[in-house]
Amino acid sequence: MHTSPAATGGPSEPAPTPPPARPSATPAASPSATPSTTPSAARAAFKDSAGAGLGFIPLGLAFGALATQSGLDWWWAGLSATIAFGGSFEFLLIGLVTAAAPLAAIALSAFMVNVRHVFYALSFPLHRISGRLGKTYATFALCDEAYALTTGKQARSWSSPHILWLQFLLHLYWAGSAIAGALLGSLIPDGVTGLDFALTAMFTVLALDAVRDLRGDLPTPVLALLSALAARLLFPGQLLLAAFALFTVALLARHLATGRKPTHA
């Protein structure tokens, strides 16, 4: 009679080894296989910079037209807008160049007009810019509009490409409109007025957006107003520099005062 190994207590045959699992036809994507976010960052930066860009266009056209009407070549406006990128200083630069002012006077004027950028560095998100080249360009292209846009509440999640694209587009708006204004300056009638108010209107809108983002932090605009009034009374000849300095001191004093308050559980 035939008996099975299990019945006689003998060793059982080992179970067959299952075949190795076939690799999936669609392997999981690795982090390096994710698509580049540069196009989406450029599109987002274009949307965020469009409002400020519309304010740049009439100012750039007026700057280019003023440059050619002052006797300068059309390319001078484009070169100044690309290299200097100083906005209000560039309007002053036209008068300095046509008057053949000394280089030291031009340098001093540039420092006095753009010294406010020193205070921008206190809160501009330069730490989120990746790469030495990116940080260098972000520092060079830091203008009032870029600072106002990148320090708002909605910009806290912006990536390095997003910020750099926004600054590049603002730079392009200004340089392109300046060149267009220089080329078309002869077609603009002399009686056209109001172009210079575009900058004031744009800063008013940016200030209102910033106040909305504060949400209860109204002492900040109050401190700014008091600093401006104090600078106007005490230092009328250096209003901008004094106002920024007083405002910075007030912010630091408020930070120290609120930081020392005891916290209760």
Side-chain angles (χ1 to χ4, degrees):
M1 181 179 66
H2 176 71
T3 57
S4 65
T8 59
S12 60
E13 295 182 0
T17 304
R22 297 178 62 183
S24 174
T26 56
S30 61
S32 60
T34 56
S36 175
T37 58
T38 301
S40 59
R43 287 193 295 267
F46 176 76
K47 295 178 181 179
D48 294 325
S49 65
L54 291 177
F56 271 27
I57 292 175
L59 289 173
L61 292 174
F63 168 71
L66 180 62
T68 54
Q69 291 176 2
S70 300
L72 300 174
D73 294 329
W74 67 269
W75 55 263
W76 188 94
L79 185 64
S80 172
T82 303
I83 297 179
F85 194 41
S88 55
F89 169 70
E90 292 181 48
F91 283 91
L92 177 61
L93 184 61
I94 294 177
L96 294 174
V97 171
T98 54
L103 185 59
I106 296 177
L108 180 61
S109 300
F111 173 77
M112 295 304 298
V113 173
N114 295 323
V115 71
R116 64 188 185 277
H117 291 180
V118 175
F119 300 96
Y120 289 172
L122 298 175
S123 53
F124 180 73
L126 187 63
H127 60 281
R128 287 188 306 196
I129 306 297
S130 59
R132 182 176 299 179
L133 184 60
K135 291 181 183 295
T136 301
Y137 179 76
T139 303
F140 163 75
L142 177 58
C143 60
D144 301 328
E145 294 76 12
Y147 173 80
L149 292 172
T150 55
T151 55
K153 183 179 180 180
Q154 75 283 355
R156 294 176 183 174
S157 61
W158 287 2
S159 62
S160 175
H162 191 151
I163 298 175
L164 289 175
W165 269 110
L166 182 133
Q167 291 187 272
F168 173 75
L169 289 173
L170 292 177
H171 196 177
L172 185 63
Y173 291 143
W174 177 250
S177 57
I179 295 175
L183 294 175
L184 303 175
S186 59
L187 303 179
I188 300 177
D190 296 335
V192 174
T193 59
L195 292 178
D196 53 345
F197 187 72
L199 185 62
T200 304
M202 180 175 59
F203 276 120
T204 301
V205 174
L206 292 175
L208 292 176
D209 290 339
V211 170
R212 287 198 203 99
D213 290 340
L214 292 175
R215 293 189 178 182
D217 191 20
L218 288 181
T220 299
V222 172
L223 288 177
L225 179 60
L226 293 177
S227 301
L229 292 176
R232 179 67 178 86
L233 295 175
L234 300 176
F235 309 98
Q238 302 292 336
L239 175 61
L240 186 62
L241 179 60
F244 270 102
L246 292 174
F247 184 50
T248 303
V249 172
L251 290 177
L252 292 175
R254 186 184 68 175
H255 175 71
L256 294 176
T258 55
R260 292 176 180 177
K261 289 184 178 180
T263 57
H264 303 281

